[in-house]
Amino acid sequence: MGFLNLFIVNQSGGLIHHRPLGARAPNIGTNDWLRIGSTFHSIHAIAPAAAPVKLPGNMLDNGAEDGIYEIEGAGLLLKCLQTRTGIKFVVTAEPGTPDIDTALKEIYVLYADGALKNPFYELEMPIRCEMFTQGIDALIERLDKASSYSKSR
Amino acid sequence: MSKTNASSAGHTLWSKMPKANAELFALTYGSLVTELIRDYSSVSEVNAQLDRLGHSIGVRLVDEFLSKADLLNVNVPACTNLRDTAEVLAKIGFRMFLGVTCDVANFSADGNSFSLYLYENPLAIFVELPPEEERDERILYSNVYCGVIRGALEQVNLRVECRFVR
């Protein structure tokens, strides 16, 4: 239910991966994706300066840089996981979708196992790894199944 | 962070990692080093290559470390100073990937350097190095560790130098 899109932005702000996660995901062209990726990176970096509460050293508790981690709109929920190495995993979903945070953490693990361990994958380059794509497919299937069980109850 | 916290975190992560045969691991690494020695004429070249290998491993390893810790809700709090970093490295990092205990000691007065003591080295369980002779530089068999530490800390914006002392 409800997951729309996933995009991953590297440490320098370039988009390294984007994919739809569900049937209702809007179709976005590649150029638009690249623009979305870099815009999000920049806004994420500027946001702590505009925030009413400034964290010491601009760091969250876990050491990652502070920035936008959730945007909630009328038809959209956007969540971002900023890792301590500077990569951002961003998932958009319909409002009310459960478990987005867990999904983000699992996507991070899938990135570490599927993309980073691939010897042909260069860091900060677009991700074109089979294992990673299949892992995400399996994850989304599992989450969809889990949420449809809970809905039918 | 408290010492027991870090050790239990390391233990939890170690138990969740997929395991490989220790002998296979040691022998694979051994054949890798042997090939390097055959390829390069000088010992310092071999050591540099091992360090480079370790560096490439380290930059990817740190994401795996952080992601698995996050997923299992193991708290790896932000390191505010080098002492914390040393603790995390020794107690959680080494424990998680190699299953070995590692101690931190010898903090310098300005807090800028420290020593790591490895009591067991799973890479070198079958290894005997040739005697020193007049070699001006010895083979640093496990130099890959230095590279891994350097690469991993570089990804979290900490530039370090790591070398074998003994």
Side-chain angles (χ1 to χ4, degrees), chain A residues 6-49:
Chain A
L6 160 74
F7 62 97
I8 306 179
V9 182
N10 68 12
Q11 293 92 325
S12 346
L15 188 76
I16 54 176
H17 194 69
H18 65 88
R19 63 164 289 165
L21 293 177
R24 288 188 290 278
N27 212 343
I28 304 184
T30 321
N31 281 336
D32 287 330
W33 267 122
L34 293 171
R35 219 173 295 136
I36 290 174
S38 16
T39 313
F40 186 77
H41 175 85
S42 323
I43 299 181
H44 183 96
I46 304 174

Side-chain angles (χ1 to χ4, degrees), chain B residues 8-26:
Chain B
S8 59
H11 188 75
T12 320
L13 285 169
W14 165 243
S15 58
K16 293 285 185 338
M17 293 287 283
K19 307 287 189 300
N21 186 321
E23 285 144 15
L24 179 64
F25 182 52

Side-chain angles (χ1 to χ4, degrees), chain B residues 13-145:
Chain B
L13 285 169
W14 165 243
S15 58
K16 293 285 185 338
M17 293 287 283
K19 307 287 189 300
N21 186 321
E23 285 144 15
L24 179 64
F25 182 52
L27 291 172
T28 310
Y29 183 69
S31 51
L32 179 75
V33 178
T34 321
E35 270 307 304
L36 280 177
I37 296 178
R38 278 197 207 117
D39 286 344
Y40 292 99
S41 45
S42 80
V43 169
S44 53
E45 261 300 308
V46 174
N47 290 338
Q49 282 301 321
L50 283 174
D51 187 79
R52 221 169 54 88
L53 273 168
H55 184 261
S56 314
I57 297 177
V59 300
R60 295 155 186 257
L61 195 93
V62 67
D63 270 317
E64 182 179 357
F65 172 64
L66 293 171
S67 63
K68 298 224 161 124
D70 262 349
L71 189 65
L72 298 171
N73 283 327
V74 168
N75 191 19
V76 182
C79 299
T80 45
N81 51 34
L82 196 64
R83 205 170 280 267
D84 286 344
T85 311
E87 277 299 312
V88 171
L89 193 58
K91 296 289 186 295
I92 312 186
F94 269 93
R95 185 111 175 89
M96 170 180 175
F97 288 105
L98 296 173
V100 297
T101 44
C102 176
D103 274 341
V104 183
N106 270 356
F107 253 101
S108 69
D110 55 5
N112 269 345
S113 67
F114 60 92
S115 298
L116 280 171
Y117 286 92
L118 267 176
Y119 294 114
E120 334 146 9
N121 185 356
L123 287 177
I125 50 184
F126 296 123
V127 177
E128 243 180 57
L129 288 178
E132 285 302 312
E133 296 170 359
E134 302 101 28
R135 235 187 281 274
D136 42 11
E137 189 160 344
R138 56 201 171 111
I139 298 176
L140 298 170
Y141 185 79
S142 311
N143 210 24
V144 76
Y145 288 146

Side-chain angles (χ1 to χ4, degrees), chain A residues 11 61-63 83-85 87 105-106 108-109 111-113 115-118 121-123, chain B residues 17-18 59-64 66-71 73 76-79 155-157:
Chain A
Q11 293 92 325
D61 280 337
N62 69 353
T83 68
R84 269 172 277 193
T85 48
I87 312 176
K105 289 187 190 171
E106 301 223 13
Y108 187 21
V109 174
Y111 168 72
D113 283 341
L116 291 182
K117 289 190 183 168
N118 185 328
Y121 171 64
E122 286 172 50
L123 280 180
Chain B
M17 293 287 283
V59 300
R60 295 155 186 257
L61 195 93
V62 67
D63 270 317
E64 182 179 357
L66 293 171
S67 63
K68 298 224 161 124
D70 262 349
L71 189 65
N73 283 327
V76 182
C79 299
Q155 282 295 89
V156 285
N157 300 319

Side-chain angles (χ1 to χ4, degrees), chain A residues 5 17 22 25 37 61 63 78 82 85 97 102 115 118 151-152:
Chain A
N5 279 306
H17 194 69
D61 280 337
L78 181 149
Q82 162 84 321
T85 48
T97 313
T102 331
N118 185 328
K151 265 200 311 198
S152 58

Side-chain angles (χ1 to χ4, degrees), chain B residues 142-160:
Chain B
S142 311
N143 210 24
V144 76
Y145 288 146
C146 297
V148 171
I149 295 175
R150 191 169 59 89
L153 290 176
E154 195 175 294
Q155 282 295 89
V156 285
N157 300 319
L158 189 67
R159 189 174 299 143
V160 294

